[in-house]
Amino acid sequence: MTISLAPTPAPVRSPLQRATGGIRGTFTSPKYGPVLVTLILFVAVFIGGGIRYPGFFSGQVLLNLLVDNAYLIVLAVGMTFVILTGGIDLSVGAVVAMSTMIAASLLQSGWPAYAVIPLILLATSLLGLLVGIMVHYFKVQPFIATLAAMFLARGLCYIISQNSISISDPTFIALGVGRIPLGGGLSITPSVIIAVVVVVVAVWVLHRTRFGRTVYALGGSEQSGLLMGLPVARTKVLVYVISGLCSGIAGVLFTLYTLSGYPLTAIGTELDAIAAVVIGGTLLAGGYGFVLGSVLGVLVLGIIQTIISFEGTLSSWWTRIFIGALLLVFIVLQRVLTARRR
Amino acid sequence: MTAALARFVSNRLFWPLVMLVVLFLINVVAFPGFFTITMRDGNLYGSLIDILRNGAPTLIIAVGMTLVIATRGIDLSVGAVCAISGAVACSILLGASNPADPGVVAVAVLTAIAVGLVCGLWNGFLVSVLGIQPIIATLILMTAGRGIAMLITEGQILTVNSPPFKVLGAGFWFGIPVAVYIGAAVFLIAAALTRRSALGMLIESVGINPEASRQAGVRARVLLFAVYTFCALCAAVAGLILTANTMAADANNAGLFIELDAILAVVIGGTSLAGGRYSLTGTLIGALVIQTLVTTVYTVGIPPIATMVFKAAVVTIVCLLQSPTTNEAFRGFRRRLALRSGKGVAAA
C-alpha cells in the first residue's frame, strides 16, 4: 500500500519479483539488501506511528513527507549520481542557500520569475562544472574541491546580503503556497511534481542511457572504465554538473517552501542528503545504488521527523541523534553485506 | 646558488610560506602597526599575538587531523567533539555549588577530555575494527554529535561564570596567552612522539598501505585507534579553549566549520590527503595562514563575513598548485625553456 504511493516503483519492485528466486540472496546482496531493509524500516515506522498516534494513518501525512522534503529529494538525487561514481559533494547545502539568496535578491530588484529561475540553474550548474574540472583534470579530491565550492557559495550568500530577504513575487507565491488537489481531501504542492519529475528523469538516465551505465562503471572501477574506452572524463565532470543543477533546482524548491532568502539557511543539509543516500542503500565507495533508494532514504528521515513532532515531548535534537544512529546501522549493514560477497 | 634556491622552491613548505609572507605584506601595507607588539598590564598585545591566540584552537585540531590524514583517514567529527566537550565542561561547572573553585574546574576539564577520549575511541573502533571508510565513520559522530551536545545542554546556551576556567581561553601567563601555550604544547608533544620515535614512520606506512604494513608486523589497528583518539582529544582541548573564551557552551555553533578549517590548514601545509606523508610544521604554517587570512580580511576593511570566499580562493589556489597536472605542466614548461637555450640534455 505504501509502495504504490512512491513515485515510480519499478526498480523497488524488482527485488520483490526476484524474491521468489531467493529471498535470502536478495537480502544479502549489496545491491538490493540495504534498499529492502530501508523499505521495511519505512513501512514499520509508518505502521508503528499509525498504531501509536491517532491521525497518523492518513494519506496526507504521507504526502506531507513529499511536500516538506521535495527539495531534499532533489538534492539526494544529485548526490546519488556523485556518490555512485565514488565521489562526494559537500557543497549542496551552501548552494541551496546561495540559490535562495540569488532568487530573493533578484526578485526584490524587480526581475521576473521566469528569468530568475533559469539564471539560478545556470549558475549552480556552472559551479558544478568548475568542481568537476577541478576533480577530474586537476586530480583534486572531490571532498576538497566541493569544500572549496561550499566556502565559495556560503561566502557569496553573505556578500549578497547578511539579512533575510522575503519574497513577494506573485509567481513564486503562487507556486509556493498553491495546492494541487488529488481528490479525497488530499493535496500536494507544485514542488512535489517538480521533485517527482526530477526523480523520474534521473531513474531513466541512470538505467536506460549509456551515460547512466558509465556512472555505475566508474563507481565499480575507474581504471577498468578507462581501459574499456568509456568516456571517463566527460562522465566524471558531468556528474558534478548534475549535482550542481540538482542543488539549483532544490534551491528553487527550498525558496518556494520558505518564500525567503537567508544566508544561514540549509546548514548541514549536505549531511542530510548524504545520510539519505546512504540509508537508501547506495554504497559510498560507489558502484551500487538506486535513485529510488535515496528517495526512500529521504522519506525515512522525514518520517522520523514526523514521529518526533507527533510525539511532542521529544526534542528536536533527538532527530540528529536518530539520524546518526540510523546512519551507523546502515553503514555497518553495507559493510557486512559487501564483506560477505567478497 | 641556483641549486640551493631550486631546492628551497621545491620544498613542500615553500608555497605555504610564500602565502604567509604575502598575507603579512598585505597587512603591513593596510595597517602599518601590524608588527607592533605592545605591553599592557604585563601582557603582550598586538595583531601577531591575536593571530597566535585565535589560531590556537584551529592549530590544535589541525595537529590531530594531520596524523589522521597521514593514515589516509579524515575526521569530520572534530567540530561536534568541540561542542560536546564544551557542553560537558559547562554543565559540570553549572551543576557545582562553587564554579570558581579550581578543583571543580579541574574536574570539569578532565571530564570533558575523558568524553573526548570516548569519542575518539568510538571513531577508532568504526574505522579500525569495522573497517568503515573514515569520512563516513566520522560523519556519524558529526551528525549525531551536535544532537548529543544539545542533549547535554538541554537545548540551551549555557553561560558560566568561573574565573579559573576563563583562564584557558582568555588568560595570560608571563604575558603570553594561555591558549598559545596549550597550542604549542600539543604541537610539541605530537612532534616529539611521532618524530623522535618510529611512531611517525609507522603512521605513514599505514597510510601508504595498511594491509602491507600489517603483514610487515605493524599493528595498524592499534595505530588507527591511537590517531583517532589523539585527534578527538585535541578537539576536546580546542573545544575547552573556545568555550572558555566565550564562557558559554553553544551546542549549535561551538566549533562550527572548524573541521573544515583544520583540514584546510593540513592541506595548505602540504600534507597530501592521500595519506602516507605528513608535515606538522606545514600544518603549523597552514593554521597561521588561515588565521592571518581572517585577520587580513578584517584589517583591509572587507566585511568579515566575506572571509569564506577568500578561504575558498586559498583552497582552490593551493590545490591547483599542488595538483599533479600543474606540476606536470610546470615541468614541461621548464624542459622546453631548457631545450630552447640549448642545454636540454644537462637540464633534463
Side-chain angles (χ1 to χ4, degrees), chain A residues 21-82:
Chain A
I23 295 170
R24 237 191 91 114
T26 315
F27 265 101
T28 55
S29 97
K31 197 171 172 186
Y32 299 110
V35 192
L36 219 56
V37 173
T38 306
L39 184 67
I40 292 170
L41 181 76
F42 179 75
V43 173
V45 171
F46 188 64
I47 292 174
I51 293 168
R52 195 169 154 87
Y53 315 106
F56 193 89
F57 254 141
S58 81
Q60 195 56 47
V61 166
L62 266 182
L63 287 179
N64 279 346
L65 286 181
L66 294 175
V67 170
D68 295 335
N69 295 299
Y71 76 99
L72 193 55
I73 289 178
V74 177
L75 273 188
V77 166
M79 187 69 81
T80 311
F81 276 86
V82 178

Side-chain angles (χ1 to χ4, degrees), chain B residues 208-266:
Chain B
I208 293 165
N209 189 337
E211 188 52 31
S213 20
R214 193 185 62 77
Q215 295 193 347
V218 178
R219 301 179 68 180
R221 186 169 282 189
V222 176
L223 275 177
L224 283 177
F225 253 112
V227 290
Y228 282 94
T229 311
F230 180 69
C231 188
L233 213 58
C234 289
V237 171
L240 285 173
I241 295 178
L242 289 171
T243 312
N245 204 9
T246 54
M247 292 308 276
D250 181 350
N252 275 321
N253 296 312
L256 191 65
F257 295 137
I258 206 164
E259 60 275 353
L260 305 180
D261 278 349
I263 295 166
L264 198 54
V266 177

Side-chain angles (χ1 to χ4, degrees), chain A residues 43-210:
Chain A
V43 173
V45 171
F46 188 64
I47 292 174
I51 293 168
R52 195 169 154 87
Y53 315 106
F56 193 89
F57 254 141
S58 81
Q60 195 56 47
V61 166
L62 266 182
L63 287 179
N64 279 346
L65 286 181
L66 294 175
V67 170
D68 295 335
N69 295 299
Y71 76 99
L72 193 55
I73 289 178
V74 177
L75 273 188
V77 166
M79 187 69 81
T80 311
F81 276 86
V82 178
I83 292 183
L84 277 178
T85 63
I88 200 149
D89 191 344
L90 293 182
S91 68
V92 295
V95 173
V96 164
M98 187 179 79
S99 306
T100 71
M101 290 308 285
I102 296 177
S105 65
L106 287 183
L107 290 173
Q108 200 184 32
S109 55
W111 282 54
Y114 60 80
V116 170
I117 295 175
L119 191 77
I120 291 174
L121 301 188
L122 194 70
T124 57
S125 305
L126 194 69
L127 189 65
L129 178 69
L130 293 179
V131 169
I133 289 174
M134 263 177 92
V135 168
H136 184 75
Y137 290 101
F138 289 91
K139 309 266 183 298
V140 179
Q141 277 166 359
F143 174 74
I144 292 294
T146 55
L147 184 70
M150 170 187 161
F151 274 135
L152 183 71
R154 197 58 84 179
L156 288 176
C157 285
Y158 289 120
I159 289 180
I160 293 172
S161 168
Q162 292 174 36
N163 302 314
S164 171
I165 310 173
S166 63
I167 290 173
S168 51
D169 179 83
T171 318
F172 265 71
I173 292 180
L175 283 173
V177 299
R179 286 265 170 177
I180 299 166
L182 292 182
L186 304 176
S187 68
I188 53 170
T189 53
S191 300
V192 175
I193 302 203
I194 298 173
V196 169
V197 169
V198 170
V199 170
V200 171
V201 170
V203 169
W204 178 76
V205 167
L206 270 182
H207 298 291
R208 288 279 173 274
T209 63
R210 281 181 65 135

Side-chain angles (χ1 to χ4, degrees), chain B residues 25-268:
Chain B
L25 288 179
I26 295 173
N27 272 296
V28 172
V29 171
F31 174 58
F34 180 72
F35 283 114
T36 329
I37 292 174
T38 53
M39 195 80 154
R40 235 184 295 154
D41 308 330
N43 296 330
L44 296 173
Y45 285 92
S47 299
L48 285 180
I49 301 290
D50 281 347
I51 289 174
L52 287 179
R53 194 179 74 146
N54 296 332
T58 315
L59 171 69
I60 292 169
I61 294 182
V63 165
M65 190 72 84
T66 310
L67 297 184
V68 169
I69 288 178
T71 64
R72 210 193 281 174
I74 200 137
D75 189 345
L76 295 183
S77 67
V78 288
V81 175
C82 275
I84 294 176
S85 95
V88 167
C90 279
S91 62
I92 290 177
L93 287 177
L94 272 184
S97 52
N98 178 19
D101 178 21
V104 172
V105 173
V107 168
V109 167
L110 290 178
T111 316
I113 287 178
V115 171
L117 207 70
V118 173
C119 292
L121 287 174
W122 165 256
N123 282 335
F125 172 76
L126 292 184
V127 172
S128 72
V129 178
L130 296 186
I132 300 170
Q133 277 176 2
I135 184 171
I136 306 312
T138 53
L139 185 68
I140 297 170
L141 191 55
M142 185 191 190
T143 314
R146 292 209 180 265
I148 295 171
M150 286 181 88
L151 198 65
I152 297 169
T153 62
E154 289 169 342
Q156 313 272 310
I157 295 177
L158 302 180
T159 45
V160 292
N161 181 22
S162 162
F165 184 58
K166 194 172 172 60
V167 167
L168 279 180
F172 285 85
W173 275 339
F174 306 110
I176 295 173
V178 175
V180 176
Y181 285 109
I182 302 175
V186 169
F187 178 80
L188 291 176
I189 289 171
L193 278 180
T194 60
R195 287 312 191 199
R196 291 284 153 212
S197 73
L199 192 61
M201 202 188 66
L202 297 179
I203 288 175
E204 289 179 332
S205 84
V206 171
I208 293 165
N209 189 337
E211 188 52 31
S213 20
R214 193 185 62 77
Q215 295 193 347
V218 178
R219 301 179 68 180
R221 186 169 282 189
V222 176
L223 275 177
L224 283 177
F225 253 112
V227 290
Y228 282 94
T229 311
F230 180 69
C231 188
L233 213 58
C234 289
V237 171
L240 285 173
I241 295 178
L242 289 171
T243 312
N245 204 9
T246 54
M247 292 308 276
D250 181 350
N252 275 321
N253 296 312
L256 191 65
F257 295 137
I258 206 164
E259 60 275 353
L260 305 180
D261 278 349
I263 295 166
L264 198 54
V266 177
V267 173
I268 291 176

Side-chain angles (χ1 to χ4, degrees), chain A residues 304-316:
Chain A
I304 291 174
Q305 239 144 21
T306 313
I307 292 270
I308 283 172
S309 66
F310 264 78
E311 183 67 33
T313 54
L314 279 179
S315 308
S316 65

